[in-house]
Amino acid sequence: MNKLETFKSSLARSKSGFIERLNFLIRGGDIDADFYEQLEEILISGDVGVHTTLNLVSELKNEAAAKKITDRQTFRSLLADKITAILIAPSQPAEPETIPQLILLVGVNGSGKTTTAAKLAGYYKAMGKKVMLVAGDTFRAAAIEQLEIWSERVGVELIRQHSGSDPSALFFDAVNAAKARGTEVIIGDTAGRLHNKYNLMEELNKIYRVIGRNLPGAPHQVILVVDATTGQNAISQAKKFNEALPLSGLILTKLDGTARGGIVVAIRALLDLPVLFVGTGEMIEDLAPFDAETFTTALLD
Amino acid sequence: MFSGLAEKLQSTLRQLRGKGKLSEKDVDAAMREIRLALLEADVNFKVVKDFITAIRERAVGHEVMGSLTPGQQVVKIVNEELTKLMGDKAGVLSAARKGPQVIMLVGLQGSGKTSTAAKLAAFLQRSGKKPLLVAADIYRPGAARQLEILSEKIGAAFYGNLADNPTQICRAGAAWAEKESFDPVILDTAGRLHLDRQMMDELVAIKKTVSPTDVLLVVDAMTGQDAVNAASAFNEAVGISGIILTKLDGDTRGGAALSVRAVTGCPIKFIGVGEKIDQLEPFYPDRMASRILGMGDMLSLIEKAEAAVDRSKARELEQKLLRQQFTLDDFKDQLVQLRSIGSLEDILNMLPEGTGIPKEMRQMSLNETNFKRIEAIIGSMTKKEKIDPSIINGSRRRRIAMGSGTNVQEVNRLLNQFAQMQKMFKQMGSLEQKGQFKKLKKKMKKGFLF
C-alpha cells in the first residue's frame, strides 16, 4: 500500500463525519449565498477553529470573486490548494546527523506519548537504527511497566529507574549509556502534564537543560504529542509547551477516530510548527510521516 | 477552568447590562458574540445553534423588552439556559436494588478512566464505603498494574486477571465483591474507539453480564467538536447513565461539558480537577454555569474554605479586613491558608468578577517558588514595615531584597500587589458599612449576582 492508500484507508473508517459533509458540500452545483456560511460551519465543526475558519473563508471569497469562480468543482481545488499551503512545512536544510540523536516526547495527560514513543522506536528500528527508549514518565503509576512491555515487543533497549525518581537524572544516565553503547536514536517518554501547571512545566525545562548539558545540541527534537480529538485547547498546549522548551513539531495521535485533522489546519495556521507524524491505530506500525498534500487529497477526496 | 469562555461572555453581557432599552439589533449583536465565544470554547456547533435560538427567542420576547432592565434580563436568561444545558441537578450515583453498586467506566483512549476509577474509589471511601477496583483493560500494556498500584495507594481492594477476557474478569470481580461484601464495584474498561464494532460489543457483553447500576462515560474536557460523536455513539451502543469530565484543571474552555450533556441528555456526575487522588468532585450544574458567566462559584469556595480554615482565625481576619488593619503579616498567613484550599488561581476563578479583584491579581501566579520568595521578602521586613509598608523607601527596599535573596523589582511587585489588595478590601469595607455586603452575600447564596 502506498502512502496515499494508507491515509485513505485510515480516513475511510470515519467518512460519516467532517469529510463526508465537506465532500457533499463541495461536489457539483453553483456557489450560492448559503454556501460560504455552510462551509464556515463545516470547517468549525471539524475543529479548524473560528478564527482560522473565518480567515480561510474570507480569503477564499476574495479569490473566488477575483478569479470569477462560480462552480463548486473549481472552488474545491482552490480550497485544497489553500489547506495544503497551510499544512505544508517549509523544507528544512538537512542537518548533519550527530550520534546519538535524542527525541523527547512531551504533551498533556492521555495524549498518547508512551504508545507513540514505542511506535517511533519501531519506526527507527525498521530503518536499521540502534534505538533506545527512556521511561521518562516516572510519575504515572505503571507508566514504566507500560513502556517496558512495549520495548520488549519492539525489541529495543529500555533505560528505566524506579517510579517517582527524578526524570532529569534518568535522562542524564540514559545519555551516558547511549554514548557508551553507540546508540543512534534515543526516544524519551515524559510524564503527561497540563500546560498551565507551572511547576510541571519547570520540571520539563529542567529535563531539557540537563540533556543539553550532557549532550550538546540535544534534545535534537522535542515533539508535542497531540490527541486528534482535542479541540481549540491544542493551540494553547502548543503555545505553552513551546514556551517551556522549544518544540520542533507535533505528532497527531488517534487519527483513526471520527475527529478529523481540522485541528492540524488551525495549529499550522496559527503557529509555525510542522506536523511530523500521525498515529492511526494501536499497532506498532500505525505511525506514518505526515504529508500535507497526501493528507489534503485524502481529506477532500 | 472555563476562564476564556467566561471572559468572552462577560464582556459581551457587560455591554448589555447597562442598557436601559434594548433593540433587536443589540440582541442580534450580542447573540453573534455569544455564538462565537461558545464555538471557540469547543461547544458543538449544533448545540450552539439550539442554545442561541432558545436565548434569542426569550430575549426578543415580551419577557425582556417589557422589563425595566432589559440588559440584566438577558444575562439572567443566558444564565438560566446555560444551567439548563448543563443539567438541572447535581449528579449522584444510582443506588443498587440489591447487592453492591456496580459502576462501569467507559470511554476513548486517554480520557482518564484508570485514574478516575481510583479517584472515584477514594471519593466513595471518604463516605465510608468499601470499594473494589476491577481491572477490565487487558489490552493496554500495564493498565491493570496501574490500577493495582493506585488501589494499594488508597487501600482499596483490587481484582484483576490478565488470563481472562474482560467479561469474565468483570463477572468474577462482581461475584467476589458480593462474597466479601465490597460495595461498590468499579469496573475500569479499556479505552476504545466508538467506531470499533467489536470493542463496543465487548462493552455490551460486560453490561449484560454484570448489570451495572451506573455506566459512566469518561470524557476529556479538552475534547473538541468530536465529543458529541463519541458520546452519542457510546450512548447508543452501550447506554450510559452519566458522564465524568476529566482534566478540568487545564485551561480548556470546556465546551465539551456543554456538548456532551446536551447530546446524550445524561448528567455530568463528577469532574476531575487535578492529578491528586482526592481531586474528583461531584458536579454542580448551577455552580458551573455561574462560573462560566463569571459570577463566581462562591458555594464551592465557601465549602472548601470551611474545610481548610480555622473559624476563629477567619472571624478575626474578617474584622481586620473591615477595620482595614490588614497587614503584610496577615497577607502571609492568608497565603499559607489559601494554599491549603487550593492554588490561588483556582480560588480566584471561584470568586465573582464583580468583587473588583484587579486583573493583575487574578493573573499573579502563585507557584511554589514564587510563594517561597514572597515568604522570604515578608520575612526580611521589620515589624514596623509589615504594619505600615508606606515607610518602605528605596534603601529599605534594597535591604529587604538583599535579606531575602531577591531583587528590588520583586519587592516592588509584592508591595504593589499588597497595595491593590488593601484597596480592594477598603472597597469591600465600605460596602459593608452601607449594608451592601450582606445583600451581596445573600445573593451569592442564591446563586446570582444581579
Side-chain angles (χ1 to χ4, degrees), chain A residues 43-60:
Chain A
L43 289 174
I44 287 169
S45 73
D47 284 324
V48 173
V50 175
H51 184 76
T52 312
T53 297
L54 294 181
N55 282 348
L56 200 59
V57 171
S58 95
E59 271 179 46
L60 275 171

Side-chain angles (χ1 to χ4, degrees), chain A:
Chain A
M1 230 186 332
N2 65 27
K3 251 199 283 183
L4 181 67
E5 303 268 288
T6 318
F7 257 117
K8 276 189 189 170
S9 75
S10 73
L11 287 169
R13 290 172 67 184
S14 57
K15 281 279 183 187
S16 58
F18 178 51
I19 302 159
E20 193 179 61
R21 297 202 301 122
L22 196 61
N23 285 333
F24 176 74
L25 201 68
I26 286 169
R27 238 171 244 144
D30 287 350
I31 296 170
D32 52 27
D34 265 356
F35 180 74
Y36 289 109
E37 204 173 299
Q38 277 175 291
L39 184 66
E40 265 177 31
E41 206 162 76
I42 284 173
L43 289 174
I44 287 169
S45 73
D47 284 324
V48 173
V50 175
H51 184 76
T52 312
T53 297
L54 294 181
N55 282 348
L56 200 59
V57 171
S58 95
E59 271 179 46
L60 275 171
K61 243 187 221 174
N62 292 339
E63 269 176 59
K67 293 181 185 164
K68 300 204 165 39
I69 296 168
T70 50
D71 70 301
R72 294 181 180 211
Q73 198 55 42
T74 321
F75 189 90
R76 177 195 143 130
S77 58
L78 196 62
L79 178 64
D81 290 350
K82 218 155 197 63
I83 294 178
T84 310
I86 291 175
L87 289 175
I88 208 155
S91 59
Q92 286 167 330
E95 288 168 35
E97 280 224 345
T98 52
I99 284 175
Q101 284 279 306
L102 198 152
I103 302 170
L104 195 64
L105 299 181
V106 301
V108 298
N109 315 64
S111 57
K113 286 172 297 307
T114 307
T115 309
T116 302
K119 287 181 183 177
L120 265 184
Y123 177 83
Y124 284 109
K125 195 185 174 226
M127 284 170 62
K129 304 261 188 196
K130 188 164 189 235
V131 183
M132 171 190 283
L133 278 166
V134 185
D137 183 355
T138 57
F139 178 79
R140 180 166 57 92
I144 297 169
E145 282 91 331
Q146 185 178 347
L147 199 60
E148 192 164 37
I149 296 168
W150 277 122
S151 73
E152 282 160 15
R153 284 190 198 166
V154 182
V156 297
E157 192 184 359
L158 176 82
I159 298 289
R160 54 164 291 178
Q161 271 177 17
H162 59 89
S163 181
S165 63
D166 176 17
S168 298
L170 170 69
F171 276 101
F172 187 88
D173 293 347
V175 168
N176 286 345
K179 281 181 189 164
R181 292 170 209 177
T183 303
E184 294 170 277
V185 183
I186 310 170
I187 295 160
D189 188 18
T190 61
R193 66 201 73 222
L194 291 176
H195 46 289
N196 59 342
K197 306 278 169 182
Y198 179 85
N199 293 331
L200 296 178
M201 296 308 277
E202 282 291 290
E203 181 193 75
L204 203 55
N205 182 268
K206 186 182 163 196
I207 294 174
Y208 177 77
R209 279 174 305 168
V210 167
I211 290 174
R213 225 176 289 145
N214 196 16
L215 184 64
H220 304 87
Q221 292 192 64
V222 181
I223 305 179
L224 179 71
V225 180
V226 177
D227 183 334
T229 59
T230 317
Q232 301 310 300
N233 193 249
I235 293 161
S236 174
Q237 290 172 20
K239 278 185 188 159
K240 297 272 178 63
F241 272 98
N242 201 28
E243 280 165 23
L245 72 180
L247 297 177
S248 26
L250 316 171
I251 292 182
L252 203 65
T253 62
K254 308 179 202 173
L255 209 54
D256 48 333
T258 43
R260 299 271 46 111
I263 189 66
V264 182
V265 183
I267 291 177
R268 276 299 287 170
L270 295 172
L271 302 162
D272 193 24
L273 288 173
V275 187
L276 304 170
F277 291 91
V278 294
T280 51
E282 289 189 315
M283 299 291 123
I284 275 291
E285 59 278 8
D286 292 335
L287 182 80
F290 179 78
D291 181 90
E293 255 174 81
T294 320
F295 183 82
T296 310
T297 311
L299 192 73
L300 299 180
D301 191 26

Side-chain angles (χ1 to χ4, degrees), chain B residues 92-104 183-185 207 210-216 241-242 269:
Chain B
V92 281
L93 292 168
S94 317
R97 255 185 241 140
K98 68 174 181 65
Q101 271 178 313
V102 178
I103 302 156
M104 180 172 163
D183 184 12
V185 182
K207 190 180 177 190
V210 296
S211 337
T213 44
D214 263 304
V215 180
L216 303 179
S241 63
K269 297 203 170 185

Side-chain angles (χ1 to χ4, degrees), chain B residues 291-420:
Chain B
R291 200 136 142 179
I292 288 186
L293 284 179
M295 297 187 299
D297 181 6
M298 289 307 283
L299 284 173
S300 290
L301 182 59
I302 289 165
E303 276 174 15
K304 283 195 177 172
E306 277 177 349
V309 173
D310 178 339
R311 257 168 200 278
S312 62
K313 255 196 164 171
R315 197 153 306 133
E316 194 185 305
L317 180 74
E318 199 181 323
Q319 287 310 310
K320 273 189 174 169
L321 285 179
L322 295 176
R323 274 185 268 120
Q324 288 151 40
Q325 290 169 342
F326 186 69
T327 68
L328 276 159
D329 258 332
D330 298 318
F331 181 53
K332 202 171 92 184
D333 276 355
Q334 276 311 290
L335 289 182
V336 174
Q337 287 202 336
L338 279 177
R339 285 204 319 160
S340 58
I341 303 175
S343 80
L344 189 59
E345 211 186 331
D346 287 346
I347 292 161
L348 291 177
N349 278 337
M350 283 188 261
L351 288 172
E353 173 114 320
T355 37
I357 293 176
K359 209 172 168 161
E360 305 78 67
M361 271 238 13
R362 283 185 178 263
Q363 283 167 351
M364 172 177 135
S365 67
L366 192 77
N367 52 65
E368 291 301 305
T369 338
N370 234 341
F371 177 77
K372 277 188 199 137
R373 296 178 93 88
I374 290 174
E375 215 174 8
I377 292 172
I378 297 178
S380 299
M381 294 176 184
T382 64
K383 214 171 189 175
K384 219 168 149 191
E385 286 167 346
K386 281 189 262 192
I387 292 168
D388 181 11
S390 68
I391 63 165
I392 305 180
N393 57 21
S395 79
R396 282 177 191 261
R397 278 168 211 238
R398 274 195 298 280
R399 192 208 74 239
I400 293 166
M402 292 266 278
S404 56
T406 58
N407 55 43
V408 176
Q409 283 85 350
E410 278 181 82
V411 176
N412 287 341
R413 203 179 312 137
L414 173 70
L415 290 173
N416 281 338
Q417 276 164 355
F418 180 70
Q420 276 170 352

Side-chain angles (χ1 to χ4, degrees), chain B residues 246-299:
Chain B
T246 61
K247 306 178 208 172
L248 263 168
D249 49 330
D251 61 358
T252 173
R253 297 183 190 168
L258 296 175
S259 308
V260 169
R261 166 72 182 92
V263 296
T264 61
C266 293
I268 298 169
K269 297 203 170 185
F270 293 94
I271 54 175
V273 293
E275 288 194 17
K276 294 203 189 86
I277 212 124
D278 62 348
Q279 289 179 315
L280 183 82
E281 300 173 352
F283 177 78
Y284 296 99
D286 47 340
R287 296 184 190 184
M288 192 68 90
S290 299
R291 200 136 142 179
I292 288 186
L293 284 179
M295 297 187 299
D297 181 6
M298 289 307 283
L299 284 173

Side-chain angles (χ1 to χ4, degrees), chain B residues 6-22:
Chain B
E7 262 162 44
K8 283 261 165 56
L9 288 181
Q10 272 159 22
S11 71
T12 306
L13 295 174
R14 209 175 295 130
Q15 285 162 17
L16 283 187
R17 211 170 280 177
K19 292 218 171 181
K21 228 176 144 192
L22 222 54

